[in-house]
């Protein structure tokens, strides 16, 4: 088997996490290779908050829509519109967006490898073995460290990191449609700058459904951990509910979304995980792009620190840095999912709670800035009291 060359770090997987890690390492002067199958498009709603746009310097050209309203829809059809004050949520198409991130990593100096990861070979040092996309041959590239960013159900995580083979998942399925126009637009309850989030057990018994605009197209889909749910039938029902049955279906996609960050992200030897491979998708919302890129950045930081110090324990920095900033948000979102996604009665109460202006402001401040805002302590206390009142059924479902 030919060995093409030697690098300091091989990043396995070229999604937002892997591409970000590769770009950061290349810009810091590390010899890094980015291995990706290229062309695979992950099913994704495509929402990115302003903090991502700012932190990772995403140009306007990558945005296919700007969302200014989020509509929450309850099991009984109640609709609560939450307006994004003084900003917007950007929408991207994952195919062009991921390709842009990979190209940017290459322009920064990362070596691009097109192929499928096969295994890690440690017989003579450490090397990544992959199947080259151009001719199907097995190739080997020697490296000092590896970043596993090969997504949910990661082969790298499964073979290298404790718990990597048992992480729980939600299955996400969506259909990409042409945006309604002409007669179809008259039938549809659809706005090109509004995201709809549907909390309804008939659509998803344990998560939610969505309608997300993407400019000339839109994403309609659901997530669920329940095996018995027919994803296509549920999405068909969602399309009918939104008046989108007449829109052309361009493609159908499905993929797992991890539900919980792994307790450990490194193997204590030569490897650290990032993105979906590490389980960093936000509970309750299923948001993953920002956290994937943040995970790629801390993985790159940990790898660079390890290369400089020679201390393998520095690989632990990836999880430590990520959790230091995001652990509380993940904990709150997990508690919300556990409390409100259990039944339609609870979902109804959750949407009712979303009428509250304090809830709306703090929710979107937290989403846009990726932190729990501490500037309004009384608002936090009020929300906590209202939350308890709803869970204890002290507030009528129709209360606003």
């Amino acid at each position: 088997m030919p060995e093409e060359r030697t690098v300091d770090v091989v990043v396995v997987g070229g999604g937002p996490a892997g591409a970000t890690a590769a770009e950061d390492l290349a810009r810091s002067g590390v010899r890094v290779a980015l291995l990706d199958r290229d062309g695979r498009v992950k099913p994704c709603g495509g929402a990115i908050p302003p903090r991502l746009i700012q932190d990772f310097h995403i140009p306007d050209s990558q945005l296919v829509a700007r969302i200014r309203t989020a509509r929450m829809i309850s099991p009984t059809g109640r609709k609560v519109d939450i307006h994004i004050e003084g900003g917007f949520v950007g929408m991207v198409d994952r195919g062009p967006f991921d390709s842009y991130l990979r190209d940017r990593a290459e322009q920064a100096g990362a070596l691009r490898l097109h192929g499928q990861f096969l295994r890690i070979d440690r017989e003579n040092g450490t090397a990544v073995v992959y199947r080259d996309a151009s001719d199907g041959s097995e190739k080997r590239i020697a490296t000092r460290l590896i970043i596993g960013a090969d997504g949910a159900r990661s082969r790298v995580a499964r073979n290298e990191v404790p718990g990597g083979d048992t992480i729980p998942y939600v299955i996400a399925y969506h259909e990409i449609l042409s945006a309604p126009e002409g007669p179809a637009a008259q039938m549809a309850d659809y706005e090109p700058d509004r995201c709809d989030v549907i909390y309804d057990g008939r659509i998803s018994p344990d998560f939610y459904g969505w309608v997300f605009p993407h400019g000339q197209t839109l994403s309609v889909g659901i997530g669920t951990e329940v095996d018995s749910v027919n994803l296509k039938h549920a999405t068909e029902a969602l399309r009918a509910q939104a008046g989108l049955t007449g829109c052309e279906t361009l493609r159908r996609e499905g993929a797992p979304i991890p539900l919980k960050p792994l307790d450990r992200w490194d193997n204590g030897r030569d490897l650290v995980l990032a993105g979906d491979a590490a389980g960093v998708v936000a509970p309750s919302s299923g948001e993953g792009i920002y956290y994937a890129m943040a995970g790629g950045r801390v993985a790159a930081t940990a790898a660079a620190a390890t290369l400089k110090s020679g201390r393998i324990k520095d690989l632990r920095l990836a999880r430590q840095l990520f959790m230091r900033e995001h652990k509380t948000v993940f904990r709150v979102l997990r508690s919300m999912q556990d409390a409100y996604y259990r039944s339609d009665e609870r979902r109804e109460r959750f949407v009712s709670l979303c009428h509250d202006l304090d809830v709306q402001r703090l929710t979107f401040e937290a989403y846009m800035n990726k932190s729990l805002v501490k500037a309004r302590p009384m608002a936090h206390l009020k929300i906590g009291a209202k939350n308890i009142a709803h869970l204890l059924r002290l507030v009528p479902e129709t209360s606003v």
Side-chain angles (χ1 to χ4, degrees), residues 300-316:
T301 299
T306 302
L307 291 171
K308 184 175 181 179
S309 70
R311 297 188 301 261
I312 295 302
K313 68 177 184 179
D314 285 347
L315 291 175
R316 301 175 194 169

Side-chain angles (χ1 to χ4, degrees), residues 19 28 47 49 86 115 178 184 283 315 322 333 381 393:
S28 68
S178 293
L315 291 175
F322 185 93
L333 291 175
L381 289 174
R393 300 181 178 84

Side-chain angles (χ1 to χ4, degrees), residues 122 126 144-145 160 264 266-271 312 315:
R122 296 189 177 94
T126 300
R144 296 173 63 186
L145 297 175
E160 293 288 332
R264 182 169 178 173
D266 70 283
N267 67 352
R269 184 175 184 177
D270 54 13
L271 180 146
I312 295 302
L315 291 175

Side-chain angles (χ1 to χ4, degrees), residues 29 36 59 64 89 93 127 134 139 156 164 178 183 188 190 201 235 269 271 278 282 305 321 345 361 370 373 375:
D36 188 70
V64 295
V89 173
D93 281 338
S134 62
K139 292 185 178 178
V156 174
S178 293
Y190 173 82
T235 303
R269 184 175 184 177
L271 180 146
L321 292 171
E345 180 191 7
R361 292 190 184 108
K370 290 293 166 259
V373 180

Side-chain angles (χ1 to χ4, degrees), residues 214-285:
H214 282 191
Q216 298 302 311
T217 66
L218 64 145
S219 164
V220 181
I222 72 161
T224 182
E225 197 179 359
V226 179
D227 292 338
S228 61
V229 173
N230 187 309
L231 299 171
K232 292 184 178 180
H233 288 174
T235 303
E236 182 180 354
L238 180 54
R239 288 180 62 170
Q241 178 179 315
L244 298 170
T245 303
C247 296
E248 180 186 3
T249 303
L250 302 178
R251 66 180 189 269
R252 298 178 173 89
E253 301 162 339
I257 298 176
L259 287 176
K260 181 182 177 184
L262 289 173
D263 293 333
R264 182 169 178 173
W265 293 6
D266 70 283
N267 67 352
R269 184 175 184 177
D270 54 13
L271 180 146
V272 65
L273 302 176
D276 281 9
V280 290
V281 173
S284 178
S285 69

